[in-house]
Amino acid sequence: MIVFVSGGARSGKSAVAEQQVVNAASRSPCYYLATADVYDAEMAARVARHRQTRQEEWQSAQWKTLEEPLAIDQVIAKVPNGSAVLLDCLTLWASQVLYASELSEEEGLALLASALAGARTRSLYLVIVSNDINEALPPSDAETWRYMAFLQRAHRWLAKEADSVIEVVVGCAVEWKRPAKVLLTKELSF
């Protein structure tokens, strides 16, 4: 099962995504695939705040953090079959693809596709979080446009591929795409 959760900054999307993973994991460990590359004190504080929030909010869950800013497919391959995984976040991962790697945009999207294929093959419950950054004023420079276009391209592809798509607006989760229902193959008798 692939779930895509998007929303604006501080919209509550992380809490919604964490709840999805905790519910799917039941009492098994929850895996947190962090794509943040901690490069300064502000980012370190954000990471620490997220960890603290997870511990406080989900005391019944055991979170195992896996850190990888780029090669998400390789980390997905190491998670036990049938596990619940939170990939947080696609926004930071996209910046790694464009600005901290030698990958082309096409190669980056292929890496994302490989991660999803690996998750499906191994029956993972994968929740992917990303910021919806095109809700603000249009950017005034070409590089920001490039980044936004790449991220939105990844979002559109992911929304098509995901079983469930959830948008979080001011703490309210709106499910735009639901998992397909299994059709009855046998007639019911009353």
Side-chain angles (χ1 to χ4, degrees), residues 98-99 133-139 143-154 156:
L98 291 180
Y99 307 113
I133 62 168
N134 69 343
E135 300 286 325
L137 294 173
E143 202 53 44
T144 304
W145 269 112
R146 176 178 173 243
Y147 172 72
M148 191 168 67
F150 175 68
L151 183 62
Q152 292 306 317
R153 187 172 163 206
R156 288 189 308 273

Side-chain angles (χ1 to χ4, degrees), residues 4-14 16 89 91 128-135 151-152 155 165-174 176:
F4 176 42
V5 178
S6 73
R10 310 293 186 266
S11 63
K13 64 190 169 297
S14 289
V16 169
C89 75
T91 316
I128 301 175
V129 177
S130 194
N131 287 296
D132 194 356
I133 62 168
N134 69 343
E135 300 286 325
L151 183 62
Q152 292 306 317
H155 284 182
V165 176
I166 300 170
E167 180 184 24
V168 182
V169 181
V170 295
C172 298
V174 179
W176 291 103

Side-chain angles (χ1 to χ4, degrees), residues 22 53-63:
V22 169
T53 300
R54 279 196 307 277
Q55 289 174 353
E56 291 171 0
E57 294 291 321
W58 313 111
Q59 293 175 6
S60 63
Q62 178 190 1
W63 288 93

Side-chain angles (χ1 to χ4, degrees), residues 6-190:
S6 73
R10 310 293 186 266
S11 63
K13 64 190 169 297
S14 289
V16 169
E18 290 166 2
Q19 181 71 65
Q20 291 276 320
V21 171
V22 169
N23 289 349
S26 189
R27 295 176 190 234
S28 298
C30 300
Y31 290 86
Y32 187 93
L33 173 46
T35 62
D37 194 9
V38 180
Y39 50 84
D40 63 15
E42 181 184 352
M43 184 57 90
R46 282 183 67 189
V47 168
R49 186 176 62 245
H50 268 270
R51 284 185 179 151
Q52 182 68 30
T53 300
R54 279 196 307 277
Q55 289 174 353
E56 291 171 0
E57 294 291 321
W58 313 111
Q59 293 175 6
S60 63
Q62 178 190 1
W63 288 93
K64 294 187 177 190
T65 302
L66 310 166
E67 297 178 356
E68 176 51 54
L70 186 62
I72 55 177
D73 59 336
Q74 293 175 17
V75 175
I76 292 289
K78 295 177 183 174
V79 176
N81 290 352
S83 296
V85 180
L86 172 58
L87 189 157
D88 193 358
C89 75
L90 196 67
T91 316
L92 293 175
W93 174 82
S95 69
Q96 297 296 330
V97 169
L98 291 180
Y99 307 113
S101 80
E102 299 297 321
L103 296 175
S104 68
E105 292 180 20
E106 295 306 318
E107 290 168 327
L109 294 173
L111 195 150
L112 178 60
S114 175
L116 262 63
R120 286 196 193 282
T121 299
R122 303 185 54 253
S123 300
L124 299 182
Y125 191 99
L126 176 62
V127 179
I128 301 175
V129 177
S130 194
N131 287 296
D132 194 356
I133 62 168
N134 69 343
E135 300 286 325
L137 294 173
S140 59
D141 64 282
E143 202 53 44
T144 304
W145 269 112
R146 176 178 173 243
Y147 172 72
M148 191 168 67
F150 175 68
L151 183 62
Q152 292 306 317
R153 187 172 163 206
H155 284 182
R156 288 189 308 273
W157 179 84
L158 186 54
K160 185 180 95 180
E161 294 296 319
D163 301 296
S164 174
V165 176
I166 300 170
E167 180 184 24
V168 182
V169 181
V170 295
C172 298
V174 179
E175 190 171 26
W176 291 103
K177 181 179 179 183
R178 295 177 185 216
K181 301 258 188 240
V182 177
L183 297 175
L184 293 175
T185 57
K186 182 178 172 186
E187 215 173 290
L188 297 176
S189 59
F190 294 93

